[in-house]
Each structure stands twice: as structure tokens, then as C-alpha cells.
Amino acid sequence: MTNHWVDLKNSDAILIAGSNAAENHPASMTWINKARDERGAKLIVVDPRFTRSAAKADIYLPLRSGTDIAFWGGLMKYVIDNNLYHEEYVVHFTNAATLINADFEDTEDGDLGLFSGFMDDDGDGYGSYDRKTWSYQTDADGNALRDETLQDPNCVFQLLKKHYQRYDLDMVAGVMGCSKAKLEEVYAAYAATGQPDKTGTIMYAMGQTQHTVGSQNVRCMAMVQLLLGNIGRPGGGVNALRGESNVQGSTDFALLAHLIPGYMAVPRAGDHPNLQAYIDVETPKTSYWSNKPKFLVSLLKAWWGEHATAENDFAYDYLPKVESAGNHYWISLFEAMHAGTIKGAWLLGQNPAVGGPNARFEKEALEQLDWIVIQEIFQTETVGFWREPGKDPLKIKTEMFVLPAADAMEKEGSIDTSGRLIQWRPKVAEAVGEALPDHDIIYLIGRKLKEMYEQDPGPYADPIKHLAWEYGGGPVHPVIGEMVDIEKVAVEVNGVAVEDVLDADGNVLAKKGDMLKTFGHLQADGKTACGNWIYVGYYYPMSDGEGNTLPASKRRGQKDPGGLGIYPYYAYSWPLNRRIIYNRASADSKGNPWPGGRELIWWDGAKWTGYDVPDFVVTKGPDQPGFNDPFIMQRDGKGGLFAAMVEGPFPTHYEPVESPTTNAFYPERNINPCVKVWRTKEGEDVGNTYGDPAKFPIVATTYRVVEHWQAGGMSRWLEWLVEAQPEMFVEMSEQLAAEKGIKAGDRLKVTSARGAIEAVAIVTKRFQPFTVNGKTVHQVGMPWHFGWGGGGPDEALGKGDTANHLTPHVGDANTTIPEYKAFLVNVEKA
Amino acid sequence: MTERYAMYIDASKCMGCRGCQVACKQWNDLQGFVPGVRETKNTGSYENPLSLDPQTWTRIKFSEYDNPDRFQWLFLKEGCMHCTDAACVDVCPTGALKHGPYGIVTFERDLCNGCGYCSQFCPFGIPKLEIINSVTGEAKSSKCVFCQDRTVNGLTPACVKTCPAAALEWGPRDAMVAKAELRVSELKAKLGFPEARVYGKTELGGLGRIYVLTAPASEYGLPENPRYPALGTVWQKILQPVGQIAFGAVIVGALGAFFVARRNVVMEEVE
Amino acid sequence: MSVQLRGTDSSISIRWIPKYTTLERLLHWVHTATFLPLALTGFVLFAPWLEPLAQGAAGAQIRLIHRVAAVFFGGVPIIYTLLQPRRMLMNLREFLSFGKYDLLWLKNAFPYYVLGRHGNMPPQPRFNTGERLTALVMVLGTITFGITGLSMWFLKGVISATLFQWMVVIHDLMFIVTFAMFIIHFYLAVVHPMMWQSLVSMRYGVVSESYAREHHAMWYYGEKRAKQMYEERQAKGEQH
């Protein structure tokens, strides 16, 4: 999130799109209700189905799964055509005024549906873009040219207008399948937040991201919020509702194929052969990222300690390099597993047998492994993948190791939630049996590996041998010995001064051995070590506003100066305890807060001050360059209305890979042209197969219910939750049920090109058929929590068929997040 | 604890998340899905269990209200209404059900002898009999007791504590009624719910649950006009006193007759 | 039989007439032995001031006794019908026949039984009016208790709550009627100075000839003759 949970109460309009917040983030309703009760805020829900969130909304708009860009594009056109954008904000804080290379071609020019620079070497219709023409026009010094009247035909604003020129209400309603009147009602209600004294927030989750155009969906939300002047302001923001209490933490620490901790790129063999190459390629000249070398070197210093020195490039060569991050995303990994390229796997807290796309294919992939280690709290369907009914264990050669893991309540440590709030949590329960916390398991494996590499080094043992791995000092386990002292990990992540850190005048900023207070003190010369630059300060002793000093993320101070829900003494937000990032944008181009009574920070004549930590150079005044550049991570400091992504600088509507219709905007370009469409064993069961709408005419989506959690590991073993939601079901409209002769409670067979499952029918008015481009299109939805149980004496209480037997093995062009949210099925009585 | 308290339940804020259903089970050590013992099935709805039972003292009822002006998906938190005129208390032969502190209709399981009258005379059908042996009749009643062990110690019921939508509140009854009326006027005037209403203000002398509803009570599966059961009145207010008077009268009459007859009647002789 | 008069040498002979079979007597006492616990345990649930007895495990025992007794109570007519169906039907027919003499009996009951005025009692068959009424109430009661009691026992949750409520109310009403009736029956059959033979009859199954002549003239003399004798007496205004 750019903002945070409590901040929702400051909003004038709350748009939930691609999320079922009341269902899956119920606590958020506390703050949403405050906004409604105290400010008269409107809650708008856009969803294929009338959900528990829609039940609480003031306005509900149905949309066919996979048509979000049509929705957002239409909103942008509506905002621009009706002059509802926040003009001063747009002109000064975004790149609306920036001029783009005159050779740039939009999807509306030339080759319809494609931008300039498309390369399709193998002629299969899919490819990538050469982004040369997507550049800014610059002057001799390299500064971008701008037209702040927004009239120049090459300025971003005009290009944006052209790009969405055909996204009028009729077109959009036709693609989405909704009513034009309701669409306009939503647009008007939300566009009203473009007024300078109003802010609106967009809450989204997997409904936006789990599409082959998922990244572009998110881009749309950022663009809408920039046009309406809602970013960096209380009650505004682009707010991802993270699906796990610590998944924000997991991305912070780069449990992602393309990153290393702190959102830096994973080293690539081709581009980053050595430290200097990495620094040269990855460090921009402007924006706060220009400090990247400090972050990287400090990280290497944390990992290899005394063995990371200026002489050996701080052990940069010890880092493994990838050919391309794309080879290591989830779908790619399972494709490689299936092909036998990957020999072994270590799964921690993962249940791909239930949660993975094209789950039958992925289970088959697991069977190809030579060995697998599964670290889990329960014997899930993945733990039992070899004994699933229909599998012959004797034919599966995988050697399995199961490491029982402690669950979240049984270990101490921090979590980072959606709002970037890092909260330290104590251990409150003892793990059962032999279960150990993940950090102890990983520590022990690392320790053992180091021992083994000491004895038998092999060709390249140094990266392991030289790992700084001194985390012991915790409780002594009777069998395993000394376990982790979690504080050692925390201190390392927070960052320490390895030597005295001095400023330009020789003053000591941080003494040797002390924790660092700010990432501003990180050095690129090895004087600092830090496990994650964005976390600096989170374990530093700070006041809780009530007389206590303790590690920042342990604080629970209740004071809220300004009453905006900032709670600066409660835990710690990255970066540097800023609660609303890009908060420079909460003040106008003169440094005065926008009207509307939600003053956050302002220029007081000498410095930036206010209720939040300024996300800006505190002393930068109106007379200095960059005063109006709130977006400090962008090279030009401006919000990117025009911003390069894999499939273009502007989001364009493309249909999902499995779609019941053609792309109404660009019939020649049905789906995202940059998507990698896997065709492994196509046509074979089980392979990567795509459904023909004639055979599978019904749009399907998957979702979560409040009673269950993800792939069910933490809920399908709990009797109270299973009682409330015991079985796999599929929801459909009364009209579709009538067509198929289905009654509520009937057992149904749901099929896609990849598999067939059984589910109980829920027949409801909450799904209504869509009229898409003149045709009736039905949609159904189902939860993806269920699995066959895992087998064994410890198997799940709640069992059911797995929705992901139906989903395709294809994902977003930028991130390859799987398209779980829009695919094709058919249903009939079982 | 003599002040009457009530539970404010705002169905307009409720999201049907079942947090209350689970919190109640957790606090009161009640069972959920137990294979071979208690298994629920999806019958075509999110609603489960399908009724209150000895292991379920509160639950959410789901209904779809197809009002052409505004479709609503309704969620109702069902549980003991803690009536002022509580028929269950009147018909309970053991005093296990009583009006207790804060006006809670309390239940003392040790005193219950399993007769089950409460389950049949409640106009809402709330108390559920846990039948341990259907031949000997061994049984115990069960129902929400507003977490008596929490509330008499100054805490709120477990469900109120857990509700993430802040749809529940526990407080002095007058204040809860006032809050409900304010919310209803807000729903009608500003939020587009012309059918909003308070339920529980005067029914059965006043319920211990004050509901804010956005649709007619019947749409939620609540009786529009719940009444004290007439046969309960007959039983408790007529039969019981009249019956005992009748016995007394007959005994007295017989005694009287005996003394009179003894003087008047000669022992019959055998002839 | 021959009975020696106390304090004298003389003896008189009493002729005994059989009235009740052994089975009938046995079942009557079983009936009594079950009715009383039923009434008492029921009373514990009925009377608010007996609440402490109804509580907890003790209360559960009370309810169990009620059910066990109920099984035997209900078994009485069933056994009777199975083992002596003809007697059962005969009795039933007698219980159901009422005539104008029964009204007269009712009119004369108070002066007769309380004030001791013997004169005007009309002749009675084997069972007098009161006995027939008691019997009917008991038959009706047994059937009613059976239906309502079994419903309350087994059909909770099967029948509607309202129907169950009716079962409770009717069961209770029947309890009031039958127990009041029992008190009167007990008084007249056991306590009343004049009626000592009725207890003898239920213990030994016989009544004396003189008793039969006096109290059950239509049985002793036959209906026609008894009516004749009565009408003659009425005409003469004779006092007995």
C-alpha cells in the first residue's frame, strides 16, 4: 500500500475493485465504516459477483472477469472528458506535461492494438517491445521537455487522451457486460474525488493482479489516482490488500524471482557479470535509487561479513546469477520441474497441490523430482502428493523429507503487513512435537552445510564457507543444540555500523557496532552492513511516546498527533516510519496542504514538517530544483502516467487468454501480445491446454471465502471453520442454473480444458448473466481453498475438489502471476 | 449488575464473516466439524450450521432479499433474545433458566434436568436440547448466555469483542436502543434503506438483543410479531395455580367429608 | 363363609360373590403403584415450589422414574387386553353405559355418602355411577397420558413446537383431573367408613352378598328386578 489500513478512515470515496475486502480483510471494515459514518464517504464495489463487500456497499457494479482495463480506461476517459482531474496536481506532480519521443506510436495508431517497437521474431503473434520510442524528449542536458499547458500533441496527457479515446460508456459497458447507467454512476461517484479537497482510495487484491494483464491493471489504478490527485494524501493511495499477514514482508525480502532484498534486481549473468557492471546498469542518476550501491554493498557485507571486502568486490561474485528472472517464476519453475530440468525442491509453507495453477500438471511436475523437502505445519495435499487417490506411489521416484514447522504463533519475529507496518510479535504458544520455527530450520541447515563444505569443499565452497552465519545463542535444543537468537537476525536486518560512519565534516553519524537509525547512513565502502535497506530503523530503539524506549517495531504507542490515524509511535513503517509514502504530494506546488482538512505535511518556510515523516528531503524548499518531485523513486520525480511495462506504457484492454469473446477494441489482438503462452504437452492430459469457448462457454473465476485461508493449510484442519464452510462449491446465477436444470445443493461437475472437478451448486441472484458485445455470457465462481485432504491419519477435516485443476498455466507478461481469475469452464449436474 | 444491558446488533454493518460464530465456540468450548460426530454439508448456501444446536449458540443466517429498488444480501446473527418476558424462564421447572445479572437470561447447566420445555416454548425456538439418552430422557439444554462468565467480570461477550465490522456492542439497554434508533434514522435518511427498523425494543417486553435491520424482519427469518406463547400462559398462569388449588380443595373436601361422614354413617353391618 | 361374632358363641355365615379376577386385582395394584409415582414425580415438575427437587441429577432421576413408571402404567391395559380380552371388553361396555339412574345417583351422592341417608339411592349395576365415572376418567386419562406423554418423550423436534405445547397443556390438565379423581376414589374406596368392602373386593376379589344387594342391586337381583324393587320402594316412600 502507498497508504495504510487506518488511513482508510480519511477517505471520501472507497473503491474496492478486484478485492472482496469485507470477506478477506474484515478488519479493514472498521476503518471503512469510520470513513462512512464520520465523513459520509461512499463505498463502491466492482466485482463479477455480489460479494459480502458488495452487501455493504453504497454502489455495486458487476463486471465480467478480465475486463478491468476497460473499466479503468473508461474511468480515465470520463475524468479527462469531464475535466474532473486534479489539474494542479497533474501538471506539477505527474509526467502529464512531459513530451514523448515523436516516433512513439500508440495502439490507436498504425498497427492497431500494438505500440511502436513490437518484435515478434518467431511470428507466432507473441513477442516483446523495443522501448526506444517510448522515451522522453530531452534537452541538451538530458532534462525532459515539458508542456505544462498539456496541449502539445506529444505530451503524455494528450497521448493518454488519445489512447483511451474509444473507451466511452457504451463501449466499456459492452465489454464489461454491465449497465451503462450503473457504470456512469460509479464513474461520477469516484471521479468526484478529483476535487482538490477530496481524496479517494482504491483497494485491490488478486482480482486485479491475477490476470495476464494484472500488472497493467495495477498501472491503471496508479494512473487514475494520479489523475485525481489522490496519491500521497490521507484517504488516498493505491492500496494493495496483501493476502497474508507477512506477504508484504516476503516481497520486502525478495521471495521473488527477480529481486534481492530491498527491491533491487537479482543479478543477471549477462548484464551484471561483476559488481561494477551491476552498479552501472542498475543505478539511475537521479531519484533515491541513485543510492543503490550503498544498499547493495551493505547487503553483501551483512551476508558475508568479514569475507566481504573492497578487495573482493564485497563478495559480489559469491552471488548466484540468473540467465533471466523469467526462468525462475513459479510457472517457469514448474514447467522446468515437469521437464525434469529441476531435480530437487524445497517448499516452505507452500501447498502447490491446491494453490498452483493447472494443479494436476503441477502435481505431475512434483512427481518428476528426485527429491523434495516440504516444511509444513500439517500434512497437506502437497505433503501427501504421492498418495493422492489415483496415484501409484510405487511409480513415483521422489525422495521426500517432511520437516514439521512451527506456526506463526509459535515463534517470535516481525511481520510486515499491507501498510508497510512492521510489527514485532512475541511467541505465544509452544510448537508441538518436533516442529521448529522456520528460522531455526534454515539456520541449522546452513550451519550443517558450512560444516560439510569445510570438510569436503568441492570446486566452489567459498560462498557457503564464508557466509556470516552467527545467529546462535538462542535456546538449546536437546537434539539439535544451540538455536537462533532472533535478535541477532533483527539487528542484522536493521543494519549496523561495521566501522564508525562519518558525515562529510567528520562528525560521527553512527558508532562502530551500533545499529543504524536511518538508511541515509548506509555506505558503499563496506562500513555498514544491512540485511535490507528499507528496514533500517525497525529495530532501532525509539520512543513509544509514553516514556518507553524499545526497538521500533515492538512499540505500541497510542498517540496520534493530527488525528489522521498515523500513530507514529505504533510499531515502525518502512521507509523510515513514513506512513503515507510520496506524502510530498499532500501539499500543493507551493508547499501548502491541499484544502479539505487533512493536512499531513507542509513547508513551514524552513523545512518540511507535519504529522508524518516527510517522504522528501526535509530541507528542500521552493527555490530548489525538485521541489515539485514527490515521486522520489522515479528518475524524473514525477508520477508516471506514461511508464514503460513489458506490454506498453499505457494499459490496453486485452481479453484473458481464455475468453468467450473477441477483443472489442482490437479484434486482431485478442490477448496480451507479450504473454508467454506455455504449450507443454498441449492436448495431452495433463498438459497446458487452452479451452475453446464453444466447448467451455462459461467464464469462471476463483476466489477466497472468509472462513478459509489460501490453500487450506491453516483452516481446513480447524473444526469451527470447516463446520461453517465444509465443502467445495460453485456459485452461479439462477438463469444459468435454470438453463442447466440445476438446483441449489445439487452436485455438479465443472470442467475446463485442463480437468474436471465436483462441487455443490449455490444458485444465487448475486450472479447475473453479462451481456457482452451483444451476447449473453454466463459467469461462475468458486473458492480455491479445497483439496482432497492429504491422506494419512492427520488429514484435513475439510475436503473437496481443487479449483486449480481447472486454471491455466499462464501468467502476466511482467510478473507471470497466474491468470487464476478469468478462464473458461462448463458446468453440468454430476 | 442490576442495570439492564443489551447487545446491539447492526445488521447493516454485519458482513456475515462468522467471527462471532467461531469466537462463541472458542470461548465456550463448543464443537465444530467432528468427523463421524458432527458433520455439516453445503446445502447450497454459505449458511452452516443450518440451525442453532447444543454446540452452536450463535450463528449467521443468510438470506437474499430481491427488492427491486435495492438487492440486499442479509446477514442475521441468531441467538438467544434474552427476553424480558422470557417464556423459557417461566416454564423451566428447575430454575436453571433465570433472569440474572444485567438482565441476561442465564442458564445453570448443573440445575437443568433435561425436560426440554424451554426448547418448545421459546417463541424463537432458541434453546436446544442436547439429548444424551433419548430413552432415559437424560439431556441438557443449551443457549447463548451472553458470556455470563465474561460479562459479570466487566468484559464484553466474546462475539462482541471479535466483531471486525464493529457491528456489535454491549452496553446499558437504553443506550443500545438509542444507538439503534439513531442508526435506523441514518439508514433511512442518508444511506438509502427506507425499510430499516429496530427489532427488539418492545417485543416480549423488550429483548436483550437490539437489532438494526435494513429490511423487514421476515426477510431475515425473524418473526414479525413474536408473542409470548398463549399455551405457556395457560399452563403457567392458569393450570398451575388452578390445579394446585383444585388438589387442595379436593383434599380438604375429602377430609371434611370424612369427619362428617364418620358421625353420620354407621359401619355397615354384614347381614 | 362362617364368621364367629366376637364375644359370643354364635356365628353367622357370609356369602361372598366374586367381583374381580386375580389378574384384575393384580393390574389394579400395579396401576396404583405406577400412578402414584407418576403423579408425584409429575407434581415435582408441576409445582414451582418443588423446584429444588426437580434440579440437576435428582431432577433427571425424577424424570426417569416418571418414564419407567409410565411404561408399566401404559402396560396395564395392554396386558389386560391381551390376557383377558373378554373381561376387558365386558368392563368397557359397562363403563360406557349410563342412564337416568346415574343422574339420580349423582343427586343423592352427598346425602348418601356424607350425611348417611341411605334411603333414596337408585339401584346400581356391578359398577355404580361414581365407579364408572372414575373408570372412564382413568381410561381416558391413560390414553391421553399415553399420547401426550409419548409425544413429549419421543417427538420433541419432530412435531411442531405449538403441537408440543398442546401436549404439555393437555397432559397437565389430565393430571389435575385424574389426580383429583384419585383423591376422591381413594377416600371413597379406602377411607369412607361405609365402603370398607370395596377395599376387600380389590384385595380378595369378592364382595359380600349383603353389600352387593345394597350397593349393586342391579347386579345382584338383575336389572329388571332391581328396578322393580326400587320403584316399589319409591312408591311406598319407604326409608331403608
Side-chain angles (χ1 to χ4, degrees), chain C residues 5-22:
Chain C
L5 292 172
R6 219 186 324 195
T8 71
D9 288 330
S10 39
S11 62
I12 58 167
S13 84
I14 303 173
R15 190 165 147 243
W16 296 101
I17 305 174
K19 190 172 180 189
Y20 300 118
T21 67
T22 311

Side-chain angles (χ1 to χ4, degrees), chain A residues 360 726-732 745-752 755-762 781-784 786-788 799-806 825-830, chain B residues 41-42:
Chain A
R360 293 171 67 226
E727 289 190 274
M728 178 57 179
F729 61 82
V730 58
E731 291 184 276
M732 65 181 63
D746 282 350
R747 288 209 74 82
L748 300 184
K749 192 158 149 206
V750 187
T751 52
S752 80
I757 61 168
E758 270 198 22
V760 176
I762 292 184
M782 61 197 94
W784 59 272
F786 288 95
W788 60 276
K799 302 197 270 250
D801 283 0
T802 297
N804 276 315
H805 281 192
L806 306 172
V825 298
N826 206 344
V827 301
E828 63 198 12
K829 281 177 75 153
Chain B
K41 299 206 74 62
N42 189 318

Side-chain angles (χ1 to χ4, degrees), chain A residues 489-511:
Chain A
V489 179
V491 167
E492 177 181 295
V493 168
N494 181 88
V496 288
V498 177
E499 301 294 329
D500 283 352
V501 175
L502 311 171
D503 68 6
D505 301 321
N507 301 316
V508 174
L509 294 170
K511 275 166 51 83

